[in-house]
Amino acid sequence: MQFLRRSLVGIFLLSVTLALFAWAGNTVRLAVQERMNAEPRSFPQRERVLSVNVVTVTPEVIAPELVVFGELDSANRLDVRALAGGTIMEVSPNFVDGGQVEAGELLVRIDPRDAQSARDRLIADLRDAEAEARDAERALTLAQDELAAAGEQATLRQQALTRQQDLSDRGVGTAAAIETAELSLSTARQAVLSRRQAEAQAQARLDQAATRLDRAQLNLADAERALQDTEITAPFAGTLADVTVSQGERVTPNESLGQLIQKDDLEVSFRLSTAQYSRLLGEDGSLINAPVTVALEAQGLTLMAEGQVTRESAVVGDGQTGRLLFAQIDATAALRPGDFVTVSVTEPPLRGVARVPATAVGANETVLVLGDENRLSEVDVEVLRRQGDDVLIRAPQAYGQQIVAERSPLLGQGIAVQPIDPNAAPVVPEAPEMIALEDERRARLIAFVEDSRMPPPVKTRIIGQLEQDEVPSNVVDDIEARMGS
C-alpha cells in the first residue's frame, strides 16, 4: 500500500514537471514568433561632430624665401710667391699661419746682394750711354758747322767763276782763269758732299747713342724691379694661411710661400635649381640683386650676416644641374672662409597670396572651407611656394574664410565640425553672481555640507566660501539642489 502511494506521488510530480516544461516551451515559441513578426524599430542616429583647428585665409603681400646651403669664401685671396730666387734673410713675425698683417707690411726679404750688384753695373752702363749720347750730340753739332762752312766756300767759288765769265765776255779775262775757277768750284762742291756725309754719320751716331741710352734705362728699370722683388709686402690687410717657409731657407722664383686672405671681404656660393633660379630673374631676363641672409648654427649659437646676390657662374659644371650663384655678404668677425652655412634668398614679393599651414592643403591641392552650419566644403587652391611648415597659396574664393588647419582622413566635404581657432582671443568667464546669506540659511547649508560624503578638502573649500559675507550664487544653488533631492 505504501509502495503504491509513493509510485502515484512520483507519477504526479513527473506529470507536473512535464506540464511545466511544455508551458515554458510554448511561452518561448510565442515570444520568438512575436519578435519575428514585429516591425523592426529604428533608433535615431546622432551626427558625429569633430573638433578641428581652423585658420583664416588672409591675402597679403609676401616675399618668399629660398633656403639652400652654401660655402663661404674670400672674394680677395692672394698667393704669396717668391718673385726672385735666393736665401730668405728676414721674415716678419706675423708671417705665420693665422697671422694678421696690414697693407704694405714687409713679409719676407730675400738676399738682395746679387740684385744690387746687377743694378750697380747697369747704373755704370747707363752713365756710359749718357756720355756717348752727349759726345754724339756734340759731334753732330760740329759736323753741321763744317757743312755750313763748306757751303759758304762753294758759294764763294761760284761767285769767282761767275766773275771770271763776265770778264771773259768783256774780252778781259782768259780761258785759263775760267778753268781754274771751275776747278775750285768743283773742289768746294766735293767738300760740301763730304761734310754732308760726315753730318749723316754724326746723326746716325746720335741715334745709336739714344737707342743705347734707352736700352740702358730699361735694363736699369728691370734691375730696380728685380731688387724690389726681393722684398715681399702685403698688398692689403688680411690673414695668412698655408705658410711654408722660414728664415734661412732658399727659395726659387715663383715658389709658393703662403696665402693672404682678406677675411672681411667674404662671399657665399650656393646652387639653385633651374626653377628656383628663374624666380630671381628680372623683366629683362637678367639676375636681380636679391638680398640674402647667411646663418651658421653651432651648439645653439647662430651667427648671421646680410648680403646680396652679385653674379652667377658662366657654366653649369660637369655632372651638375641648376645654377651656381655668388652673393657678397657684409663683414662679420665670426664667419670664416670655408664655413658651410645656410643661405636664405629673398624672392621678389608676391601679391594676393595667403600663408597657411602645409597640413591644410591636400594632395590634390584643395582646402576644406568652413561654411554654413559649420559644414566643410572643398575648394581648389594654387600652391605657389612651400616655406618650411607653411605654404603660400592663391585662392580668391577662400579669402576671408576659415579653413581646416590640419586635414585627416575623417574630414571631407559636407561633414559638420566644431571649429577651434588657436589665434582667437581667449573667452574670459563671467564672474559669478554674489549673494548675501541669512544666518539660518547659512547654518543649514553648512550643516548639509558637513554631513555629506564630500572629500574633506572639498568640504573645507565650500565651507570657507559659505562663511564669507557674500557667497557665489551657483554654489548655493548647487547645494540646495542636492538638499532637495
Side-chain angles (χ1 to χ4, degrees):
M1 191 68 180
Q2 187 178 0
F3 173 76
L4 179 60
R5 186 174 60 253
R6 291 180 179 178
S7 300
L8 292 175
V9 172
I11 292 172
F12 173 75
L13 294 176
L14 178 60
S15 300
V16 172
T17 301
L18 293 175
L20 292 174
F21 274 115
W23 177 76
N26 185 53
T27 302
V28 173
R29 182 181 62 82
L30 294 176
V32 172
Q33 288 180 353
E34 182 180 0
R35 181 64 180 271
M36 294 179 64
N37 294 331
E39 295 181 359
R41 293 182 297 174
S42 59
F43 298 94
Q45 299 291 333
R46 188 175 65 176
E47 183 178 8
R48 184 179 181 183
V49 179
L50 301 176
S51 297
V52 295
N53 293 328
V54 296
V55 294
T56 303
V57 181
T58 304
E60 53 186 332
V61 178
I62 301 177
E65 287 189 351
L66 292 172
V67 181
V68 293
F69 296 101
E71 185 177 1
L72 290 179
D73 197 3
S74 176
N76 196 2
R77 183 189 294 263
L78 173 69
D79 282 341
V80 181
R81 293 182 178 274
L83 301 179
T87 304
I88 296 179
M89 304 296 294
E90 182 181 350
V91 177
S92 171
N94 297 326
F95 194 69
V96 291
D97 282 344
Q100 302 288 332
V101 297
E102 299 296 332
E105 180 178 348
L106 177 64
L107 302 180
V108 175
R109 176 181 282 114
I110 301 174
D111 188 359
R113 290 176 295 182
D114 293 342
Q116 288 176 347
S117 299
R119 183 198 60 178
D120 295 342
R121 284 193 298 270
L122 290 175
I123 290 176
D125 293 343
L126 177 62
R127 291 174 181 172
D128 291 342
E130 291 174 348
E132 177 64 21
R134 289 192 299 268
D135 291 343
E137 187 175 359
R138 286 193 295 267
L140 176 62
T141 301
L142 293 175
Q144 291 173 348
D145 293 342
E146 291 177 353
L147 176 61
E152 293 175 355
Q153 289 289 333
T155 302
L156 293 175
R157 298 297 182 184
Q158 180 65 44
Q159 292 175 356
L161 176 61
T162 302
R163 186 169 56 255
Q164 291 297 328
Q165 289 176 348
D166 291 340
L167 293 175
S168 177
D169 293 339
R170 291 195 301 266
V172 178
T174 61
I178 294 175
E179 184 177 355
T180 301
E182 289 177 347
L183 290 174
S184 299
L185 178 60
S186 175
T187 303
R189 289 177 176 175
Q190 184 66 33
V192 170
L193 291 177
S194 298
R195 298 310 176 196
R196 285 181 179 177
Q197 185 176 5
E199 182 188 19
Q201 292 176 352
Q203 183 66 48
R205 179 185 176 187
L206 179 61
D207 293 341
Q208 291 177 355
T211 302
R212 180 181 175 184
L213 179 61
D214 292 341
R215 187 179 296 109
Q217 291 175 344
L218 291 175
N219 292 336
L220 180 60
D222 291 340
E224 292 284 357
R225 187 168 55 253
L227 181 60
Q228 293 176 0
D229 290 343
T230 60
E231 294 184 354
I232 303 175
T233 58
F236 54 85
T239 306
L240 290 167
D242 299 334
V243 176
T244 58
V245 296
S246 60
Q247 186 173 357
E249 292 187 11
R250 186 172 182 82
V251 295
T252 58
N254 203 36
E255 182 177 346
S256 178
L257 308 181
Q259 278 192 340
L260 181 60
I261 301 173
Q262 190 173 5
K263 65 177 183 179
D264 294 335
D265 189 9
L266 296 179
E267 66 178 8
V268 60
S269 60
F270 54 94
R271 186 171 294 275
L272 299 179
S273 65
T274 305
Q276 293 172 332
Y277 168 77
S278 64
R279 302 171 190 167
L280 301 180
L281 299 180
E283 296 180 356
D284 56 352
S286 60
L287 183 67
I288 64 175
N289 296 328
V292 301
T293 301
V294 175
L296 175 63
E297 297 182 358
Q299 296 182 354
L301 177 64
T302 301
L303 306 176
M304 302 187 67
E306 305 291 336
Q308 64 179 6
V309 176
T310 55
R311 68 186 192 279
E312 59 180 308
S313 178
V315 296
V316 176
D318 295 337
Q320 302 291 338
T321 59
R323 299 292 185 270
L324 182 64
L325 272 60
F326 299 87
Q328 189 78 23
I329 66 174
D330 299 336
T332 175
L335 297 178
R336 292 289 184 273
D339 284 339
F340 192 67
V341 295
T342 302
V343 183
S344 299
V345 185
T346 303
E347 300 181 25
L350 300 177
R351 300 183 179 275
V353 297
R355 183 188 296 270
V356 298
T359 55
V361 182
N364 56 350
E365 294 192 355
T366 59
V367 295
L368 296 177
V369 179
L370 196 66
D372 298 336
E373 298 180 356
N374 291 336
R375 293 193 178 274
L376 302 177
S377 60
E378 202 169 55
V379 175
D380 294 331
V381 298
E382 179 184 0
V383 178
L384 301 178
R385 302 284 191 278
R386 296 192 177 273
Q387 304 286 286
D389 295 334
D390 298 332
V391 293
L392 302 183
I393 62 173
R394 179 176 284 121
Q397 63 274 28
Y399 289 161
Q401 303 186 49
Q402 292 183 327
I403 63 173
V404 176
E406 299 174 358
R407 297 186 60 161
S408 71
L410 300 178
L411 301 177
Q413 187 166 354
I415 295 179
V417 296
Q418 178 64 37
I420 301 174
D421 191 354
N423 298 324
V427 179
V428 180
E430 297 181 359
E433 182 182 359
M434 306 299 289
I435 60 175
L437 296 177
E438 299 176 356
D439 294 340
E440 182 181 353
R441 187 179 181 186
R442 188 191 308 273
R444 187 170 62 254
L445 294 175
I446 292 175
F448 175 78
V449 173
E450 291 177 346
D451 296 338
S452 65
R453 297 181 178 179
M454 297 180 184
V458 179
K459 285 184 180 182
T460 303
R461 178 174 57 82
I462 295 177
I463 291 174
Q465 291 178 337
L466 294 175
E467 289 177 348
Q468 300 295 326
D469 295 338
E470 292 185 349
V471 184
S473 60
N474 57 347
V475 176
V476 175
D477 296 339
D478 183 56
I479 297 176
E480 289 182 341
R482 294 186 180 185
M483 293 172 62
S485 60

